[in-house]
Amino acid sequence: MASLDHILCLLPLLFIIIVISSSHVLPASATPSHKRKSAITIRKVNRRGPYIGLVTVFETEEDAFLGSVDFRPDPTHPFMDLSGRRFRIGKIHGKKVVYVRCGIGLVNAAAATQQMIDVFNIKGIVHFGIAGNINNSMSIGDVSIPKQITNAGLWDWLNPEKAKGDGDAAYLDVKNYNVPQGDGNNNLLGSIGYSYEELYSITGQTNSPKKVFWINTTQEWLHLAAGLEKMELLQCVNATLCLPEKPKLVVGLKAATANIFVDNAAYRNFLYDTFGVSSSDMESSAVAMTCVSNGYPIIVIRGLSDIAGAQTGDNAVRKFGSLAATNTARAVLEFIKKLPPNYNHDSYVMNV
C-alpha cells in the first residue's frame, strides 16, 4: 500500500491532468455557431411555407430544369447549404418550392429526401430525372409517371445447392442465360432472389415494419398528372438530331430502381417479363419509400433517355439524355401548375 507521503506528492500531478483533460471537453449543450445561424434561417424560411419539395439527381437534369422553368429565387434566402447540398428556395408559377439535387444512387436519394422533410416545411415531394426504357411500347424521349416503384436491387444471392423457397418475390436463374442457351443444368452463380423492403411508417406499428415489394405513389397526384398526357414534348435535341416520332407522356406504369445502371438487353427483358416495369433508374424507390414512411405525398416523373441495352452500339444516354431531361422538366412544370394553391398534405392518405 502506498504511503501517505507518496500520495501527497502525486496530488499536484493529478490536479494538472484533470485540468488539462477537462479543458478538452465541450459542454453537452454547446452548439457550433454555424448551426445556430442555420437554425435561425430555417425558422425564417419555414414561416413563409409550406413548400413543394423538388428532388432531382445530377447535373444534366438540373441544367435542363433550371433552364426550362421560371424559377424565382427567394429574395431574402435564395438557398441554404446543408450537408454538402444546396437547397434552393423560391417560386415557380407562384408556387413556393424548395429544390435540391440529391446525387446518384439510393443512399443519396433517401438522405436528401429525409433531410428535406426534416428541415423544411414541405407539403409533398416531386421527384424527377431521366431513366432507361424497359418497355418496347415506349420510346426515347417519352416521359413516364409511374404508379408503383420497386427496389429491384435488394437481392438474396442464393446457394445453388439449395432449393428456392417462398421468401422472395421473384427469382433470376443465372443458368437460363448460359451460352449456348440452356447449355448445362448447373451454374455456380446459382440464382438471385428479389427480396422485399421493410417499410417503417407513421401509419404502422412502431418497430414493426411491413414487408412490401411495391411502393405506391400518391393516387390523388396521379389523377392530377393524368391531365398532362396530351402535353407537347420536344422531339429534337438540335436542328440535326431528332427522334423519329413525337414523344408522349404516360401515367400509371411501373418502375424499377437499383444501384445499377442497366445497359444489358437480357437483363432488360428479364425486368420487363418478371415485374412488368417500363423504366429503370437508381433513385426513385428510395425517394418514394422515404416519403411514404413519413406520410408525405410523392410523385415520380422520369424521362426516358435510352433503351437500357437493347440498342446496337453505344447507349443513347449521351445523345438524348439532355432531351429526356428537358421533357421531364416541362412535365414537372406543368404538374406544379396543376397543384392547388391551398394544397395540404395532411388531407391525403398514403397508400402502400
Side-chain angles (χ1 to χ4, degrees):
M1 183 177 293
S3 68
L4 180 59
D5 290 342
H6 182 66
I7 293 173
L8 291 174
C9 288
L10 290 175
L11 280 178
L13 179 60
L14 290 172
F15 176 76
I16 292 170
I17 293 171
I18 291 168
V19 170
I20 292 173
S21 300
S22 63
S23 68
H24 287 78
V25 178
L26 288 173
S29 60
T31 303
S33 60
H34 72 279
K35 288 192 175 182
R36 289 198 298 271
K37 185 177 178 181
S38 294
I40 292 168
T41 303
I42 289 165
R43 283 197 294 271
K44 290 178 180 178
V45 168
N46 284 339
R47 288 193 197 107
R48 300 182 183 184
Y51 301 88
I52 301 163
L54 305 175
V55 180
T56 194
V57 182
F58 71 113
E59 290 91 339
T60 299
E61 299 159 345
E62 180 169 83
D63 292 344
F65 177 69
L66 296 178
S68 301
V69 304
D70 183 18
F71 177 81
R72 301 194 175 186
D74 185 281
T76 308
H77 302 292
F79 63 86
M80 287 197 67
D81 293 339
L82 301 170
S83 305
R85 294 184 180 90
R86 175 153 293 185
F87 290 79
R88 301 174 188 264
I89 303 148
K91 289 184 178 180
I92 297 176
H93 275 274
K95 306 287 175 59
K96 298 172 184 177
V97 300
V98 175
Y99 161 86
V100 70
R101 169 161 51 97
C102 67
I104 293 171
L106 290 162
V107 174
N108 273 327
T113 304
Q114 188 64 58
Q115 187 168 35
M116 180 175 279
I117 288 171
D118 287 342
V119 171
F120 295 100
N121 182 6
I122 297 296
K123 56 186 177 181
I125 286 181
V126 179
H127 172 55
F128 61 98
I130 61 176
N133 175 22
I134 305 295
N135 185 344
N136 288 332
S137 68
M138 301 286 283
S139 303
I140 291 174
D142 290 352
V143 174
S144 175
I145 303 181
K147 66 179 180 180
Q148 289 184 310
I149 308 162
T150 186
N151 179 358
L154 200 59
W155 290 0
D156 292 325
W157 205 306
L158 305 177
N159 188 322
E161 297 179 1
K162 292 185 179 180
K164 295 188 287 288
D166 57 358
D168 294 301
Y171 297 92
L172 186 158
D173 287 314
V174 179
K175 68 177 181 295
N176 292 341
Y177 299 89
N178 288 351
V179 178
Q181 188 171 1
D183 183 27
N185 294 321
N186 297 313
N187 186 300
L188 294 180
L189 290 175
S191 58
I192 296 166
Y194 288 74
S195 190
Y196 296 86
E197 290 272 23
E198 289 191 341
L199 175 65
Y200 292 83
S201 72
I202 61 168
T203 58
Q205 292 184 350
T206 302
N207 267 354
S208 297
K210 180 179 180 182
K211 284 193 172 184
V212 297
F213 192 75
W214 297 102
I215 298 291
N216 295 333
T217 53
T218 304
Q219 191 67 33
E220 291 80 4
W221 278 16
L222 286 174
H223 288 323
L224 280 179
L228 305 178
E229 289 194 319
K230 301 297 182 183
M231 72 173 288
E232 196 80 13
L233 297 172
L234 296 182
Q235 188 173 351
C236 296
V237 176
N238 52 46
T240 60
L241 182 59
C242 293
L243 296 166
E245 298 178 0
K246 277 198 168 237
K248 59 186 178 293
L249 185 148
V250 180
V251 177
L253 300 174
K254 292 181 177 181
T257 297
N259 280 327
I260 302 165
F261 180 82
V262 178
D263 191 23
N264 181 280
Y267 191 60
R268 175 186 189 265
N269 293 338
F270 169 82
L271 288 175
Y272 181 76
D273 293 341
T274 306
F275 305 117
V277 296
S278 294
S279 61
S280 172
D281 66 75
M282 299 171 68
E283 298 81 24
S284 293
S285 73
V287 177
M289 187 167 173
T290 303
C291 289
V292 171
S293 179
N294 288 277
Y296 281 77
I298 172 66
I299 194 165
V300 172
I301 303 174
R302 287 278 182 166
L304 305 182
S305 59
D306 59 272
I307 52 176
Q311 76 280 348
T312 300
D314 293 337
N315 190 290
V317 67
R318 294 188 183 275
K319 288 173 64 176
F320 293 108
S322 61
L323 176 65
T326 300
N327 281 344
T328 304
R330 288 186 164 209
V332 171
L333 174 61
E334 293 304 312
F335 178 76
I336 290 172
K337 288 181 184 178
K338 284 185 170 292
L339 282 173
N342 58 348
Y343 177 82
N344 183 354
H345 86 268
D346 292 334
S347 64
Y348 288 78
V349 178
M350 300 306 298
N351 299 316
V352 179

